Amino acid sequence: DIQMTQSPSSLSASVGDRVTITCRASQSISSYLNWYQQKPGKAPKLLIYAASSLQSGVPSRFSGSGSGTDFTLTISSLQPEDFATYYCQQSYSTLFMYTFGQGTKLEIK
Amino acid sequence: EVQLVQSGAEVKKPGESLKISCKGSGYSFTSYWIGWVRQMPGKGLEWMGIIYPGDSDTRYSPSFQGQVTISADKSISTAYLQWSSLKASDTAMYYCARWATAVAGTPFFDYWGQGTLVTVSS
């Protein structure tokens, strides 16, 4: 099965900062990569699909890039509501095994 | 409006059985896969399995195969996750989510239920 590794596991940043989170797949997954945001006590929310497509209603300060094995989620200017945990997920598997990364917790500095 | 509404929190003892539900509305329930995701306390998201309510085609993560059963009743637009014998290690939040596909063919979870907290304790 395909393993997904995120880095860093946690990150401290300030409002207004530009932040980048990385996700690496154990094999090529083309652009079959999604990003979700989860706030405490809430269900995850889809931010980015197909590596770089912004889900409807998601602010444009969020962007995704990459293909193959290396992907990034960038928040161009952090807002207070962006402090949350972010997960990548591969949707490439032909075995219906759509694994998540371990998560990156974004905290206020 | 697309909605997935899950059943309420459960407190069970080890060895008991349990079936939790996820009711879809606002879309054609039989046309989208529904997946289940586990989140243990303080931990990340784990893919458990997925079902296509249209024909009940079901696929499981190897980690959960034989541990849980995923089913659906399309007549009432509801998917289920069940255990025959709970363990303390099944204590977690369980989410259902709709598995959609973009025009380009890349799939993702676009709508999520609110989660069902299952606590297993003697």
Side-chain angles (χ1 to χ4, degrees):
Chain A
D1 50 331
I2 301 171
Q3 307 300 320
M4 306 301 293
T5 303
Q6 289 181 233
S7 61
S9 296
S10 64
L11 174 60
S12 294
S14 301
V15 172
D17 283 354
R18 179 183 180 89
V19 166
T20 297
I21 297 169
T22 297
C23 179
R24 176 165 288 175
S26 59
Q27 67 181 73
S28 177
I29 58 170
S30 185
S31 296
Y32 287 71
L33 192 284
N34 308 316
W35 289 99
Y36 301 88
Q37 175 195 66
Q38 187 180 32
K39 296 181 179 179
K42 299 294 187 184
K45 171 188 172 184
L46 177 68
L47 298 176
I48 302 282
Y49 62 93
S52 60
S53 295
L54 195 67
Q55 172 69 345
S56 176
V58 174
S60 59
R61 62 181 179 272
F62 290 92
S63 63
S65 65
S67 67
T69 61
D70 294 313
F71 302 87
T72 58
L73 172 70
T74 299
I75 309 172
S76 60
S77 179
L78 271 175
Q79 298 302 300
E81 61 267 29
D82 299 337
F83 292 95
T85 300
Y86 294 84
Y87 294 92
C88 63
Q89 180 202 29
Q90 62 84 12
S91 58
Y92 178 84
S93 173
T94 56
L95 299 176
F96 288 79
M97 279 288 299
Y98 302 121
T99 43
F100 292 93
Q102 81 278 15
T104 295
K105 186 173 184 179
L106 179 53
E107 299 175 302
I108 301 174
K109 184 182 286 184
Chain B
E1 178 195 8
V2 174
Q3 283 193 311
L4 294 171
V5 178
Q6 297 185 228
S7 48
E10 301 274 3
V11 180
K12 292 289 190 178
K13 290 181 167 38
E16 292 186 331
S17 63
L18 176 65
K19 191 173 190 178
I20 62 175
S21 66
C22 169
K23 182 173 176 61
S25 62
Y27 73 100
S28 174
F29 187 73
T30 55
S31 299
Y32 291 82
W33 293 80
I34 291 281
W36 287 93
V37 175
R38 183 175 79 174
Q39 188 167 39
M40 299 178 77
K43 303 298 184 183
L45 305 174
E46 299 175 87
W47 171 277
M48 299 180 71
I50 197 166
I51 187 166
Y52 190 74
D55 61 6
S56 291
D57 186 5
T58 307
R59 312 297 175 97
Y60 294 93
S61 159
S63 300
F64 292 94
Q65 179 85 46
Q67 308 305 307
V68 297
T69 301
I70 294 171
S71 61
D73 184 340
K74 61 184 179 183
S75 70
I76 55 171
S77 301
T78 301
Y80 300 97
L81 178 65
Q82 69 179 87
W83 296 258
S84 58
S85 182
L86 286 159
K87 311 180 195 62
S89 58
D90 292 318
T91 294
M93 181 71 82
Y94 294 88
Y95 294 101
C96 65
R98 190 179 80 162
W99 192 239
T101 303
V103 172
T106 55
F108 44 82
F109 282 135
D110 61 350
Y111 289 93
W112 293 69
Q114 82 277 20
T116 296
L117 180 62
V118 174
T119 303
V120 183
S121 174
S122 54

